[in-house]
Amino acid sequence: MMTKGARVRFQSVCKNYGDVQALRDFSLDIGAGEFLTILGSSGSGKSTVLNALAGFSPASSGEIYVNDQPITYAPPEKRNIGMVFQNYSLFPHMNVLENVSFPLTMRKMDKLQREKLARKALDIVRLGDFAARKPKELSGGQQQRVAIARAIVFSPSLLLMDEPLGALDLKLREALQFEIKEIQHELNCTVIYVTHDQREALAMSNRIAVLRAGQIEQVGTPADIYDKPCNRFVADFIGNTNLLAIEPTVGGGIRIPELGVELPGATTTPAASFVSIRPERFSRVPQPTGVAVQVVLQEMIFLGDVVECSAATVSGRIIHFKESRLAGADRLERGQTLYLSINPDDLVFVKDA
Ligand code: ADP
Ligand code: MG
């Protein structure tokens, strides 16, 4: 089943449903073999992107290219694109093998060849022994693996997945995240994956496109998006962070009023009005030296390897920090006064958008 991943280009794609502008000037290039995730909250237009690419709901304007061929208005069956939906959408009256063979039946392939390819796809998702079962005799995770087998049975060069793990519980979701990555490597295809779960996006992707109200806010590697969010919205959406207003000081540095600290040497971009400090960037120190914030410890959440803490600054602002148990988090108590130091290099200045 070796295919070569397709290249995809969205060029100024707009999609309107009546008065609703679901996509506005959406442009994105996706490389051959890439795992690209479209991340956004519910209603941001994620499914609209996939449906326009798969041909289920064509774009209102703009152009979509697959390997440099315009396919914007081609019928879905001419696109050689596999798609997996959140709700599995298996045919209940067909058994597993018939479900997986279905796209091949549509392509008028002969029975022997159909069965051979369907069994191969079932082996890839590790359901070789379940060919004769009906969907209702399978767990949710197994049903979704059947849906994946059905999407890959014709060796598509492009696989679209619309919140495929959304209906599954956490453990299963994490296991299937690995399986999906393995399947991609085995098929050598391009994957465009849709999720509203930022952890899933960070875990699986080569690149992430953050979507907000039908427009891309930022595209980049997971590390780029996490470490260098382009604005307050992205900083807040990806991971947990402390977003704090900043003010310029007379000497050309900045002040963070809610933390009660000044950074004389800090340089920001002129448009920046906030600083994002990740919880893992605070480190507890015994004495207030350097740039340190005095806080009173509020709540602690035990997570096994680390403890997540909330604390109130002198100004009353609640901030969050993380501490490994090795660093002594086990001995902390509510109401205790602590000093949290920040390394000025860890501050990420963002504009308000
Ligand atoms: P997501 O998948 O990110 O949750 P969608 O792409 O499904 O978002 O929807 C984007 C916007 O388009 C939403 O405001 C949604 O209500 C609207 N929308 C989606 N499909 C239709 C439709 N068939 N008719 C009218 N509006 C729609
Ligand atoms: Mg959707």
Side-chain angles (χ1 to χ4, degrees), residues 228-249:
K228 289 176 244 149
C230 70
N231 60 27
R232 188 183 171 188
F233 175 83
V234 175
D236 205 21
F237 195 65
I238 311 291
N240 296 320
T241 198
N242 298 285
L243 276 168
L244 302 149
I246 57 173
E247 289 172 357
T249 60

Side-chain angles (χ1 to χ4, degrees), residues 46-47 162-163 194:
K46 306 180 298 296
S47 297
D162 194 351
E163 312 217 28
V194 156

Side-chain angles (χ1 to χ4, degrees), residues 15-18 20-23 40-49 51 57 162-163 194 211 214:
K15 174 72 185 183
N16 305 323
Y17 298 105
V20 179
Q21 286 188 295
L23 290 181
S41 52
S42 176
S44 59
K46 306 180 298 296
S47 297
T48 302
V49 174
N51 289 329
S57 181
D162 194 351
E163 312 217 28
V194 156
L211 196 63

